[in-house]
Amino acid sequence: MLETHLVAPGSRVDLAGSPTRANDFHDDREAAEREFRDLRDELADLQHALYAESKRKVLVVLQAMDAGGKDSTIRKVFKGVNPQGVRVTSFKVPSSEELAHDFLWRIHKAAPRTGMIGVFNRSHYEDVLVVRVDRIVPEEVWRPRYDMINDFEQLLAANGTTVLKFFLHISRDEQKERFQDRLDRPEKHWKFSRGDLDKRQQWHDYMAAYEDALSRCSTAVAPWWVIPADQKWYRNLTIARVLVGTMRKMEIRFPTPEDGLEDVTID
Ligand code: AMP
Ligand code: MG
């Protein structure tokens, strides 16, 4: 049941009580992978239609703890989609120019234009996550941001953006294994930074910050999904199901062609 992963607007998220492993639908790996590939093909078609229609946009927000699988989700789920129709933006530590503006400035600039799927690898939520946990700004600055974020997402939605937000939920044990893998494999060393271990030490503070963000900012127009993400196949399949299911409901139409095309001859 997909809906079990949806954060109902107004409800309180309990991450310790939310599974990081799936146990609710098929454990048949092969069937899951087959379904995933079919959904990926359908996503390519839907994106093609979105681009042709050129009226609306889709925004996918990905958040997770380090090694939560944001990069690999993007690689796997959007493989096969025309690169012209997707724009991925990864939000890093803000530059001095970005810091000289309000926290949504860089985010708004990266929001997808008509016909596009925008994917955010991290997002404006960092401004109520790392910024809160590391006390980068005082509470009176970050606390009002939940409402600001809801207003901002409402603005995007009112302007034709379908917003979907996914928290890739991994266990602390799974993170340990993935970090160890990054340390064991030279070709993965670049993905490891000592700072990641500091954040691991702050796991509980992060979970509390995530719970507030997910609870306060899951709205009808911009819902949060908490995806069990210890198993990559389940994570990919679930995200593809939500994304494709949502885009199907958008009833995207190819634009009406010019009149009389059947009479056109090319010499
Ligand atoms: P990575 O995603 O591994 O490339 O790391 C990007 C880093 O940028 C992470 O440590 C984030 O916490 C950090 N980051 C992203 N947005 C912000 C922000 N608004 N303020 C402070 N740090 C941020
Ligand atoms: Mg990292």
Side-chain angles (χ1 to χ4, degrees):
M1 274 299 291
L2 223 44
E3 262 60 36
T4 59
H5 304 317
L6 177 66
V7 179
S11 68
R12 183 75 206 160
V13 173
D14 164 28
L15 286 176
S18 305
T20 58
R21 266 176 190 274
N23 45 22
D24 51 350
F25 75 95
H26 61 79
D27 252 338
D28 177 347
R29 248 318 258 284
E30 273 186 19
E33 274 163 14
R34 223 174 306 120
E35 186 192 342
F36 177 63
R37 281 193 298 273
D38 289 346
L39 286 169
R40 206 156 63 177
D41 290 345
E42 193 178 343
L43 179 64
D45 292 343
L46 285 163
Q47 193 288 320
H48 183 63
L50 185 77
Y51 193 82
E53 182 197 61
S54 200
K55 286 204 170 114
R56 292 173 288 174
K57 38 271 200 197
V58 174
L59 173 61
V60 175
V61 172
L62 296 173
Q63 284 288 159
M65 292 297 282
D66 292 306
K70 300 185 299 299
D71 294 307
S72 100
T73 298
I74 295 169
R75 201 168 56 240
K76 299 284 183 192
V77 173
F78 295 94
K79 178 182 179 176
V81 173
N82 180 355
Q84 197 161 223
V86 183
R87 183 162 160 234
V88 180
T89 310
S90 298
F91 292 97
K92 308 284 183 184
V93 176
S95 67
S96 55
E97 194 191 9
E98 287 166 348
L99 282 174
H101 292 83
D102 68 84
F103 78 104
L104 291 170
W105 180 73
R106 66 174 183 162
I107 309 294
H108 208 163
K109 277 206 302 188
R113 50 168 300 150
T114 46
M116 298 290 291
I117 299 179
V119 182
F120 285 179
N121 182 340
R122 303 186 189 272
S123 66
H124 41 307
Y125 284 92
E126 293 291 326
D127 293 282
V128 288
L129 294 165
V130 62
V131 166
R132 163 176 164 171
V133 172
D134 280 353
R135 300 173 211 273
I136 296 173
V137 299
E139 179 165 355
E140 58 269 28
V141 175
W142 61 256
R143 180 68 63 186
R145 286 181 174 169
Y146 301 106
D147 290 336
M148 293 172 185
I149 288 173
N150 287 338
D151 287 346
F152 169 65
E153 292 175 356
Q154 185 87 45
L155 169 77
L156 295 183
N159 284 275
T161 308
T162 296
V163 184
L164 288 171
K165 302 176 294 193
F166 298 103
F167 172 59
L168 315 181
H169 189 25
I170 57 164
S171 65
R172 204 159 177 267
D173 287 346
E174 179 67 22
Q175 187 193 50
K176 184 178 183 182
E177 274 184 35
R178 293 186 188 182
F179 278 171
Q180 193 59 54
D181 186 54
R182 288 179 180 185
L183 286 171
D184 292 345
R185 294 166 60 178
E187 75 277 14
K188 287 204 170 180
H189 282 174
W190 68 275
K191 278 214 155 205
F192 187 85
S193 75
R194 283 193 173 78
D196 294 350
L197 294 183
D198 299 333
K199 285 197 187 150
R200 180 172 168 77
Q201 291 310 318
Q202 299 164 307
W203 187 273
H204 294 289
D205 292 343
Y206 271 101
M207 289 304 111
Y210 265 112
E211 284 178 349
D212 279 350
L214 301 170
S215 306
R216 298 215 38 193
C217 300
S218 193
T219 59
V221 292
W224 268 110
W225 295 80
V226 176
I227 306 295
D230 282 355
Q231 299 147 295
K232 295 167 188 168
W233 66 268
Y234 184 85
R235 173 199 73 199
N236 294 341
L237 176 60
T238 309
I239 292 176
R241 281 181 169 186
V242 174
L243 181 57
V244 168
T246 303
M247 288 184 73
R248 271 183 202 145
K249 283 192 216 130
M250 288 170 66
E251 299 191 347
I252 306 163
R253 308 241 177 277
F254 283 93
T256 3
E258 291 175 34
D259 280 340
L261 284 189
E262 57 284 1
D263 300 328
V264 174
T265 51
I266 304 165
D267 32 53

